[in-house]
Amino acid sequence: PPEDTVSLQHGAHRSGNRTDADMERWRSHRLGQFIHWGLYAIPGGEWNGKVYNGAAEWIRSWKEMPHEAYDNLYKQFNPAGYNPQQWARQAKDMGARYMIITTKHHDGFCLWPSKYSKYTVASTPWKKDIIGPMVEAYNKEGIDVVLYFSIIDWNHPDWRTSLKTKEDTVAYGRFKVFVKNQLKELLTKYPTVKGFWFDGTWDESWKTDGAFSDELEQYLQSLHPGLIIGSRLRADEKGARHFDSNGRLMGDYEQGWERKLPEKIEDVHHNDWEGVMTIPENQWGYHARWTGHIKTANELIEMLARSASLGGNFVINFGPKADGTYRAEEQQLAAQIGQWMKTNGAAIYGGGYAGLEKQDWGYYIRKGNTDTVYMVVCNIPVSGYLRVKIPPQQSLQSATGLESGQPIPTTQTGRNEYLLQLENKKYDAPVVIQLEVKKGK
Ligand code: FHN
C-alpha cells in the first residue's frame, strides 16, 4: 500500500479487500446483469423522425428534443409486456448471479413509487411498483439485486452541478436530504438488496462535499450491514474520486471500469473490482437503432474470462424496450452465453487471479485458494499447442478438458514448461482446460 502523505478525515477507511461473507459472496458471482430501463426506452433514441446518435438514456440532453416533451413521457409509461419472472429466468439462464437495476437514472424518473417525488411509476398509466416485483422475482431465482441510483437528477429543482450562489448552496442542501431520504426508502422497501450502485457523482457540487458522501455511506451501511457500495459514491475532502489523495481505494470495490477492462493485475492492484459493459459500443438504455460494432457472445465470454482472471466481476448491460420486452439480439446473446456457462461456469464462479505467467492463448483462472486452475482458451493456435509455464517449486499434475472430461496430451518441454495438445477440430467457443497445479514437487 502507498504511504499516506496527506492527512485525511474523509479518505479510505480500510486497506485491502473486505473479507466478510457478503463481500465473499459478491466476489464469487463474477457474472452480473445490468439493466437500464426508464422513460428513455419510449423514444428509443428517436424523436420527430430524427435519430439521436448519443446514448439513448441521454436523449433528454439532445437539442432536438424539447425538455417538455421528455418530461411528459411518463404519461405513456405502460409496459404491458413487463414480466419480472421472465426477466429473472433469462438472467438465470445466462448464468448471472447478480443484477443491477436503474431505480432512477439521470432523468430523475423513479421506477418505484417514492413518497419523496411525484415523478415516479405511481404517476404513470402503469401505476404499480416496478422494483418490488423485480427484486422478488430475481431473488426467487437465487440472483442478488443491487440498486443503481443516479445522483444527477435533471427533474429535481434543487439539483445543481455547481454551487455558485448562496441560494444554490441552500437548494443543494435540500437536495442532499432528498437523496438520503430516497436511499433510506429503498433500503426499507427492498430489504433483501445487496448493494447500491451510484452514478452521476462527478459534478463539482457533489465532489466538493466529501464529508457528506462519507457520512452517507456510513449511514447506509449502518442501516443495512453488509451493504456493498463501489468507489463511485465518494470523493475525499480534496475532491479525489475512487482513490483518495493517498492513492487508497474508497468504497468496497473499484467501480471505474466501464466499457473497458484492465489488462493486467497491476491495473487493479489486487483490489476487488467490477467492469460494466454495453453490447453495442455505447448504448445503455434501449435504442431502436444499434449502429457500429455489436459484441458477439464469444467476445463477451472472453471479457468475462479476462475479468475473472484478474479477480473482477463482469456485468453485461441490457436495455429493455418500453413495453417491457427484450430485443431479439439481447435474448439471443443471453442464451448463447448461458449455453457456454452451463458447461464452463465452473471456471468462472468463485474464480480469481492464478499467479501464472499469461500466455497468448487466453486466461488462467484459479478456483479460490485451491490447486485447481482453469485455462480459458480464446485464441486457438493453428499448431494446436498451448504453452503452460508453472513457477519453480510447483508441478503440473494433470490437464483435463472440462467439457470432455478427457485428459489433454501433455509434453514437458523444459523446466516447468509444458505443451498441451488440443484436439484438432473446429471450435466455435472458448475451450476450458482444468489443470491441477501442486505447490511442491
Ligand atoms: O451517464 C451514465 C450512462 O448513461 C450509464 O448509466 C453509465 C453506466 O455505467 N454510467 C454513466 C456514464 O458513466
Side-chain angles (χ1 to χ4, degrees), residues 136-409:
E136 197 188 326
Y138 275 78
N139 284 172
K140 258 203 189 124
E141 293 290 357
I143 300 175
D144 287 349
V145 176
V146 169
L147 304 180
Y148 169 107
F149 186 95
S150 169
I151 297 297
I152 291 179
D153 188 327
W154 296 328
N155 181 259
H156 200 287
D158 292 331
W159 172 73
R160 299 284 184 282
T161 54
S162 62
L163 309 180
K164 296 198 180 74
T165 64
K166 207 167 153 230
E167 286 69 40
D168 284 345
T169 307
V170 173
Y172 202 66
R174 286 192 299 264
F175 178 71
K176 285 188 279 199
V177 173
F178 163 70
V179 163
K180 193 171 168 183
N181 282 337
Q182 283 208 317
L183 293 169
K184 182 180 179 201
E185 182 182 46
L186 285 167
L187 283 183
T188 311
K189 281 178 89 75
Y190 315 113
T192 65
V193 299
K194 300 293 184 182
F196 274 122
W197 206 100
F198 288 103
D199 203 4
T201 49
W202 49 77
D203 288 315
E204 269 324 295
S205 50
W206 187 259
K207 280 194 310 189
T208 45
D209 194 355
F212 179 75
S213 53
D214 188 10
E215 282 153 21
L216 182 64
E217 183 177 78
Q218 292 182 32
Y219 169 72
L220 297 172
Q221 290 182 325
S222 73
L223 289 180
H224 196 105
L227 192 74
I228 294 168
I229 298 176
S231 64
R232 275 191 199 205
L233 173 65
R234 293 178 50 199
D236 73 9
E237 58 261 53
K238 311 239 173 243
R241 297 179 63 228
H242 298 284
F243 293 89
D244 70 15
S245 303
N246 289 312
R248 293 181 189 272
L249 181 67
M250 292 181 287
D252 298 321
Y253 66 92
E254 193 188 340
Q255 202 188 352
W257 298 97
E258 173 173 323
R259 298 192 294 116
K260 67 169 190 300
L261 295 177
E263 309 235 323
K264 45 192 191 314
I265 197 73
E266 292 76 29
D267 295 341
V268 287
H269 320 281
H270 294 271
N271 283 323
D272 283 319
W273 65 276
E274 169 195 76
V276 294
M277 190 57 65
T278 48
I279 294 170
E281 200 182 310
N282 184 22
Q283 291 293 345
W284 299 89
Y286 174 73
H287 197 301
R289 293 176 203 229
W290 273 0
T291 52
H293 179 65
I294 311 298
K295 294 175 193 75
T296 64
N298 280 340
E299 281 178 275
L300 293 164
I301 291 167
E302 171 158 6
M303 290 174 175
L304 168 64
R306 194 212 288 193
S307 302
S309 80
L310 299 175
N313 286 352
F314 184 67
V315 180
I316 305 173
N317 181 72
F318 290 74
K321 295 193 243 175
D323 67 1
T325 65
Y326 285 79
R327 68 199 307 146
E329 299 97 314
E330 288 183 348
Q331 290 179 34
Q332 206 188 344
L333 280 172
Q336 288 169 334
I337 293 166
Q339 210 184 347
W340 188 86
M341 286 297 281
K342 255 188 213 108
T343 325
N344 301 294
I348 301 292
Y349 301 125
Y353 180 61
L356 303 181
E357 187 187 313
K358 167 127 177 46
Q359 302 294 322
D360 291 340
W361 44 254
Y363 306 95
Y364 289 113
I365 299 172
R366 187 179 294 276
K367 192 91 185 173
N369 273 330
T370 69
D371 293 340
T372 302
V373 173
Y374 295 98
M375 298 166 59
V376 182
V377 183
C378 298
N379 310 313
I380 299 182
V382 279
S383 68
Y385 291 115
L386 309 172
R387 187 175 305 280
V388 170
K389 289 191 195 176
I390 303 290
Q393 309 312 323
Q394 298 189 24
S395 62
L396 179 61
Q397 303 283 304
S398 64
T400 316
L402 183 63
E403 185 171 9
S404 68
Q406 295 302 311
I408 305 287

Side-chain angles (χ1 to χ4, degrees), residues 384-386 396 399-401 406-412 418-423 433:
Y385 291 115
L386 309 172
L396 179 61
T400 316
Q406 295 302 311
I408 305 287
T410 303
T411 314
Q412 184 156 9
Y418 305 83
L419 278 185
L420 274 52
Q421 189 182 1
L422 272 185
E423 194 189 338
I433 297 171

